[in-house]
Structures are given as C-alpha cells and as structure tokens.
Amino acid sequence: MSPFTKNAYTLRVGNIPAFDELGVSKTGMTFNSHIPTWKFNREFITKVILAPNFAKEIVNLIPIIFDELKEHWKDIGEDVPIDFSIWIHKFMTEIVFQAFVGLRVNGLKPYFNSIVESSKKKDTETNPIDKEIEVFPDIIKEGLDNIGFFLTIPSLVRHTILRKKNIAALKNRKQTFDILTKVIDTRRKEIKQTSIDEKLRQDMLTLLITMNTERELIDQKHVDEEHSKPLNNNQIHQIILEAISGGIETSASSLCTMVYHLAHYPDVLTRLRQELDTIFGFEKDRQITVEDLSKMHYTEAVFNECTRLVNPSKTLPRESTTKDIIAGYEWSASTSFEIYTEGIHKNPAFWKDPYKFNPDRFMESEPLRNTHLAFGGGARGCPGRKIAILEMKYLIFLIYRNFDITLVDMDAPMNLEYKFISMCSELKVKVRPRFPQA
Ligand code: HEM
C-alpha cells in the first residue's frame, strides 16, 4: 500500500467527539482535523524550525547544558549504576524548554540530589520565572497520557466509571494552558520592554510572538494576507505545547535505543567514534557548527537503524478525505487507516535480514520510499525532523567523546512502555569519563 497520496491523507484522525471535549481537535497540529487551521499552524512552526538562526541557537545551547550533565555524571562516580533514560529525559527537557520557550526547568541538579548520598548533594537555585515551570514537564507528560485515555476509552466509561480520571485530564489541560499563558505573557512583556535595537534571543516562542510585528526575526519573503497578522495567545499555546511534547519523549527514547545498541555492537561504536574523530579532531575549544553535524553520515545511519528496529510510533493513523483504491479494494472517504510502521520496518520485502542490526544498510543505498517511517511522512510527517536529527547527532558526539557507557545487564532486552508512543522506561548503565582530567 502506498500510505501517502497527495492531499487525500491530510487528516491524522477525523472528527472525534472526545477530542472536541479535550479541546485538541481544532487547534495546533497533531489532532487538528480542521485543515485550514492545521495548515496555518504548520506553516508557522515550519518557518521557525527552518530558520537558520534557530538551528544555530540549539547548537550553541546543547554544549552548555551538556557541561552540567557531565559534571553530575562525574560526581556520581563511575561504578554507580544510573538510569540513562531518566537523565536523558531531564536533559532533553532542558534543551527543549530553553530552545522553545527560552526557560530553564533546572531539573538536572534536583535529580542528582535525589539519587546521591547527602554528602554529595549540591545547592539548588530556583527558576527565574516561576516555580511552576519546574513541574511543567510532568504536567505535559501527563497530558500526553491523557490523549491515549481520550482516544481509547469510550465516552460513557469516561463519564461514569472513570469520571475522576476524566475530570483530572480536563484539569490537567487547563493547568497546562494557565502556565503557558503566564509564560507567553511574560515573554510578550519582556519583548516590549527591550529596546528595538537590542538583539532578542531566538527561541521558538520569541520567533512566534514577533512574527508579523516590527520585531520580526524571520525573513519572510512571501507573506500572503492570511499569514500577515501577529499570532494571538491561543494560536501560540498549542504550537508551543506540541513542539515541547513532540520534542522530548521521542528524542529521549531514540537516544536510549542508540546507547543500548552501541553497547551491544562495539564494532559499530568504534566506527562511529572514528567518524567523530575525523570530523571534529581533538582540538579542545573547537566551536561545533551545523555544517560539522551535517557530515555525521554514519551516526545518522546508526540513528536510522535504531529507529527502524525500535520505532517510538508503532502505527501512524490517517483518515482519508476522498475515496481511494488501496490493495485492490475501494474505500470510501472518511475511512480510518492505521499504517503499521512496525510491520513495514521489519518487512523482508523492503529490508534484507530485517531483524539484524546493520547501520550500513543506510550507508549503502537510500531505503525505498515510505519504508523508513521514524518521522512518518507526507503532509503530516514530523515537522521537527531536522532539529531532532541535529540534536541527536550533537548529543551522540558529546556523550561518546566524553564517556564510555556500559550496560549494567547486557542480557536484558530494552525496557519499553507504551504511553501513546513507545518509550524507553529504564536503561541502567555505568558511565566512565574517557578523559578524567577534562
Ligand atoms: C527523534 C525525535 C522525533 C521523532 C522520532 C518524531 C516522530 C514523529 C512522528 C512519527 C510523527 C507523526 C508523523 C506522521 O503521522 O506521519 C510526528 C509528528 C509531529 N512531530 Fe515529531 N518526532 C520527533 C521530534 C520532534 C520535535 C523535535 C518536534 C518539535 C518541533 C516535533 C513535533 C511534531 C509535531 C508538531 C507533529 C505533528 C505534525 C502534524 O500533525 O502536522 N517532533 N513526529
């Protein structure tokens, strides 16, 4: 089956009353079934993500946050097992919050303090904007869980037996928006108070707020009338929320999959490190650029192979907007399809020895169209792909340049749990600095 046909599959899901109730069916992107607003929002987020300065901001940001992580890992000590999945989740949260809303959650140090003995604990500082931001990642994670709840549990059950959980889910949604309103309003005020010739930082929120204003930070060559007005809070809310939730869990889980496989395949790790040495050399203070990262072809092949074998999205839903013929059958408009990526990723018709871990398959030739769907595809494909790959590559460089990572249990399978997407729930490792003095 050819899953993506021009314009017939712009809907992920059709009109789901439960999503109207949750307030996600006509806003943002992921579950927006109102095509004009989805298209409008998507064009805005795409503009931000493709803006060269946005990628540069992320590349400048990653080593700063990594230095903090590096210190914590060194202070824990090399013989102490740590849960990589929690650390990397906290780390991605810092990156995503800083890059998307310009705020630090400051979650690394409290987590360090929670797992070390009292003599090792460090002083914590409070968030400059609001204590609420510290709990915001958990609120967002709960919101992601609630999507699954609304998608799978019938209305009658939600409003009777599971009434309490239903109320809690709606409360979670309100709480999310209250915090976001505060964040957006605070930033609007800061921008207003910054003189016009002073440079603004280029996080996603600032780029969205300033779009189509005199502080415009993105060079928009062709702006039609529809896209020429500044965005209001309602429009910004859901775009930011989806960028945050889309950017944390998937990236953190994919990194766990890479660390797991690199521990099991030392030859692959050796080759990956050779690539890093060739591109980056050993100059200590060398500034890493977006161009450097674009040369990491083998690392990208390892990422592709890891997400082929362990894909966070096992299925991709679509609803047809016109009638179509698929697999020899005619299907009417508004038919729901589930594209079974798990099956496509392991289908021997597309992949030689599909269960074998072999990153070289991505070096030797391009996979057939629509057979590697880690980021989905077509009109609804992931808009964050470019940024996600950039982050993955930079992090892999920093982690494997600075540390040797061993799995605590080499015989254990990957620990995955399904919460709307498939996520790594635990990965016990030991981390040893490669250059203890650095
Ligand atoms: C390794 C990291 C990531 C993976 C594996 C991933 C994967 C995916 C997948 C499979 C989809 C569904 C595509 C489809 O239905 O065809 C998707 C959609 C989406 N992703 Fe990502 N994603 C990642 C990172 C990000 C980042 C960093 C962002 C932030 C900008 C993001 C934002 C979104 C949004 C907003 C959608 C919905 C798009 C729409 O409906 O138009 N993702 N992602």
Side-chain angles (χ1 to χ4, degrees), residues 4 10 12 28-32 38 42 45 49 54 92 96 100 204 238-255 303 307 311-313 315-318 339 341 373-389 391-392 421:
F4 308 113
T10 42
R12 178 163 289 116
M29 285 152 287
T30 313
F31 298 106
N32 193 341
W38 162 74
R42 190 160 168 119
I45 200 173
I49 285 172
F54 184 62
M92 286 313 303
V96 163
F100 293 179
M204 183 181 278
Q238 193 66 20
I239 298 181
I240 287 288
L241 183 60
E242 287 178 21
I244 294 175
S245 43
I248 298 177
E249 312 296 338
T250 43
S251 308
S253 201
S254 303
L255 273 160
F303 169 81
T307 50
N311 189 16
S313 307
T315 61
L316 298 171
R318 287 293 187 278
I339 300 158
T341 57
L373 295 166
F375 293 99
R380 286 273 181 173
C382 177
R385 182 178 193 277
K386 197 173 157 248
I387 288 298
I389 293 183
E391 288 169 351
M392 298 288 112
I421 56 165

Side-chain angles (χ1 to χ4, degrees), residues 29-55:
M29 285 152 287
T30 313
F31 298 106
N32 193 341
S33 55
H34 184 248
I35 295 298
T37 51
W38 162 74
K39 195 164 166 270
F40 181 89
N41 291 337
R42 190 160 168 119
E43 280 169 10
F44 271 108
I45 200 173
T46 307
K47 261 183 209 150
V48 170
I49 285 172
L50 295 182
N53 282 345
F54 184 62

Side-chain angles (χ1 to χ4, degrees), residues 331-389:
W331 304 84
S332 59
S334 305
T335 300
S336 298
F337 295 93
E338 285 288 339
I339 300 158
Y340 184 47
T341 57
E342 184 71 3
I344 295 171
H345 280 192
K346 288 170 185 156
N347 188 331
F350 308 139
W351 307 99
K352 189 169 177 264
D353 299 328
Y355 289 90
K356 192 173 160 195
F357 178 71
N358 174 20
D360 268 324
R361 64 174 91 238
F362 285 93
M363 298 295 278
E364 285 153 9
S365 60
E366 280 282 305
L368 291 171
R369 210 167 115 76
N370 292 329
T371 56
H372 181 242
L373 295 166
F375 293 99
R380 286 273 181 173
C382 177
R385 182 178 193 277
K386 197 173 157 248
I387 288 298
I389 293 183

Side-chain angles (χ1 to χ4, degrees), residues 137 159 228 255 264 422 424-425 431:
H159 287 283
S228 63
L255 273 160
H264 279 277
S422 179
C424 175
S425 54
V431 287

Side-chain angles (χ1 to χ4, degrees), residues 75-76 80 111-122:
D75 293 343
I76 286 173
V80 183
Y111 180 59
F112 172 87
N113 283 343
S114 75
I115 59 169
V116 293
E117 61 198 49
S118 47
S119 63
K120 281 191 171 178
K121 290 191 198 305
K122 302 174 184 178

